[in-house]
Amino acid sequence: MPELLTAPAASPAETNPFQPAAGRAPRWLFTALWLVILAALTVQFAWPLAALPFHVSWNNNEGWNAYWTARALAGQPLYTDAASPISNNYPPLSFYIVGGFGRLIGDPIIAGRIICLGSLIATTLLIERIIARFGGSRWWGAAAAAVFLLIIATVAQRYLAADDPQWLAEAPMVASLLLLIGRTAEMPSRARLVAACLLMLLGGLIKHNQVALPIATTVWLAFYHRRGLAIWLVTAAVAGGAALAALALIYGHPFFDQVLHHQRIVSVKLIGGALHSVSYTLPEMLLAGLLAYSRPRDPRISLLLIFAPIAVLVGIFERLGVGVSQNAHFDGAIALTILAGIVLSCGMIGLRSVWLRLAVLAVMVAPLAARVARKAPENLREASAMKQTDARWQQAIALLARQPGAVACERPALCYWSGKPYALDVSNYGQKLRKGHDPIGLREQIARKQIGAFVELRDNRYMAGRGRLPDDFYRLMETRYRVAQVLPDDLYIVVPAD
């Protein structure tokens, strides 16, 4: 086993950045940097928190999750056949967790928002705990965790308090990483390996796109802990096999058809969005690269150095799928933030000077704060107008409820709150149409005005590869339907023309 690296003991002045010492930065600089971070977080969280109790939705996933949550609680099938106009490509566990809480508070979408927010906070606290396991200054570890929260709030604002299972799945994944890291540089015990494996499986049963950490852990154990690798593989085989058997018994082959064989269009044209999201973690990437170049001998850091590039690359690859959003990059942001936090808190790779660390932290914060500043007026305006926005949404919900027949929504929360059954999964069915499949004859239904209303997301119209309906369907709709109401966020409600 490689020689372990023990971090040098920090002096009182290094442990407490506020303690005056020769050549130390003044306290006001630390305070100013924290105020910038907190102000940016306040702006970014303003409208997601303001919208939390209202029937207003900015995330297309919310209504989709609510419909499947309702089906789970009603005992209806969660997975359908290929000819169905609706499809579910998520594992089942989140629908029961959110649904159970939703029964208590009366609305699964609001329940999902609360769970999402709590899970995001838990993930951020776990990141700080992992950084603290390596010693060094707790202040710098907390600062790195705060920057992580700012990255998510800036790049993926619609995932801060949304009815989406991604953060609910991330929390047990990061908890498993905390178990693997441990309090010392020694390899994890058998109990911690088993517990970490089970937590990863739990996360996978909530959301199945988090493959980077299980892969990284397997590679790491293969290099550093062969006996632990055997325990890990046996646990994964037994627990994973039992989970698959239970899923097959409960849901049958439609589960595997919908989740594992989901028809998703992949387009390299979408790489621009992926690289843009990743670009906000470039300072953390640089610190991680310098740390790798220094060849640290602590095997725990090696786990993180294996995890980070796998997570970044997996996120970019996943983002090439139509309909996949910024949540594909969460694992990469987590791994890179932890590595950057270790460098800052322990003063590694030559960053002993507080001035240098402050400069690095400022470089991490500056592009995020600049983006927040540009959009601050819009964010604060949306937050302050939430009651008025809710009133407009209530009118739209009432309009949809009055329409005879089925309705189809690119923002499914509107259809859900209007009490309409789930008739058409516009996003997933749109991908079937792009592949030449139209099992329900949607074109003919539009031509005959058999669908009572559509909710269109106009900013995505005529943009090939976005995964909603092909362009000619919208052009046909314009000849058969008229605009009945316009909502914020470019939402248009169209009903059959007279």
Side-chain angles (χ1 to χ4, degrees), residues 188-206:
S189 65
R190 179 185 304 175
R192 283 196 285 130
L193 282 172
V194 171
C197 186
L198 294 178
L199 281 171
M200 288 188 196
L201 177 61
L202 175 65
L205 290 173
I206 295 172

Side-chain angles (χ1 to χ4, degrees), residues 19-74:
Q19 184 169 337
R24 304 293 287 178
R27 177 168 182 161
W28 68 266
L29 281 177
F30 294 92
T31 303
L33 196 52
W34 266 107
L35 287 176
V36 170
I37 294 173
L38 293 176
L41 287 173
T42 300
V43 170
Q44 291 301 100
F45 272 88
W47 67 253
L49 291 181
L52 192 152
F54 291 109
H55 282 179
V56 177
S57 176
W58 273 270
N59 189 313
N60 292 335
N61 292 349
E62 288 197 316
W64 186 91
N65 282 288
Y67 270 119
W68 291 109
T69 296
R71 290 174 69 92
L73 294 183

Side-chain angles (χ1 to χ4, degrees), residues 195-426:
C197 186
L198 294 178
L199 281 171
M200 288 188 196
L201 177 61
L202 175 65
L205 290 173
I206 295 172
K207 188 73 186 291
H208 60 304
N209 64 337
Q210 300 173 97
V211 299
L213 185 54
I215 293 172
T217 303
T218 305
V219 173
W220 177 65
L221 291 173
F223 277 99
Y224 288 91
H225 194 15
R226 295 291 177 83
R227 183 176 298 177
L229 176 64
I231 296 170
W232 176 262
L233 293 177
V234 169
T235 304
V238 173
L244 289 175
L247 292 169
L249 181 64
I250 297 171
Y251 304 107
H253 70 85
F255 167 81
F256 300 96
D257 290 340
Q258 294 287 309
V259 176
L260 301 181
H261 301 131
H262 177 62
Q263 294 188 41
R264 186 180 297 280
I265 297 173
V266 177
S267 173
V268 294
K269 295 179 181 179
L270 300 177
I271 197 170
L275 296 179
H276 180 263
S277 296
V278 169
S279 68
Y280 285 92
T281 58
L282 283 177
E284 290 83 353
M285 285 187 187
L286 179 60
L287 289 178
L290 292 173
L291 183 57
Y293 182 76
S294 70
R295 297 186 179 182
R297 289 167 288 176
D298 187 330
R300 299 176 300 169
I301 295 181
S302 298
L303 169 59
L304 295 168
L305 289 172
I306 295 170
F307 176 32
I310 293 176
V312 171
L313 292 175
V314 167
I316 292 173
F317 176 76
E318 289 180 353
R319 193 71 185 276
L320 299 181
V322 171
V324 180
S325 190
Q326 293 92 346
N327 59 309
H329 307 294
F330 289 172
D331 279 351
I334 289 168
L336 291 169
T337 299
I338 294 171
L339 286 167
I342 293 170
V343 171
L344 292 174
S345 65
C346 298
M348 302 177 74
I349 58 173
L351 293 178
R352 291 293 182 185
S353 166
V354 170
W355 287 101
L356 278 176
R357 286 192 254 181
L358 272 175
V360 170
L361 190 60
V363 169
M364 293 164 64
V365 172
L368 301 168
R371 179 171 173 177
V372 171
R374 288 196 302 270
K375 296 197 171 184
E378 178 184 350
N379 280 325
L380 296 176
R381 183 170 59 251
E382 288 179 351
S384 62
M386 195 56 62
K387 286 187 178 180
Q388 293 89 331
T389 304
D390 178 67
R392 294 176 63 183
W393 272 64
Q394 292 299 334
Q395 294 174 0
I397 290 167
L399 171 64
L400 291 174
R402 291 194 302 268
Q403 290 302 119
V407 297
C409 295
E410 292 191 50
R411 190 62 54 82
L414 271 170
C415 289
Y416 177 81
W417 281 321
S418 69
K420 290 291 186 177
Y422 199 20
L424 180 65
D425 182 342
V426 178

Side-chain angles (χ1 to χ4, degrees), residues 123 126-127 130 169-179 213 334 338:
T123 301
L126 286 166
I127 288 172
I130 292 172
E170 293 286 356
M173 283 286 185
V174 182
S176 71
L177 182 58
L178 180 65
L179 285 175
L213 185 54
I334 289 168
I338 294 171

Side-chain angles (χ1 to χ4, degrees), residues 115-139:
I115 290 173
C116 171
L117 181 61
S119 300
L120 172 57
I121 293 172
T123 301
T124 305
L125 294 175
L126 286 166
I127 288 172
E128 190 278 331
R129 287 285 80 211
I130 292 172
I131 296 171
R133 290 281 170 92
F134 291 86
S137 168
R138 293 283 300 277
W139 188 93

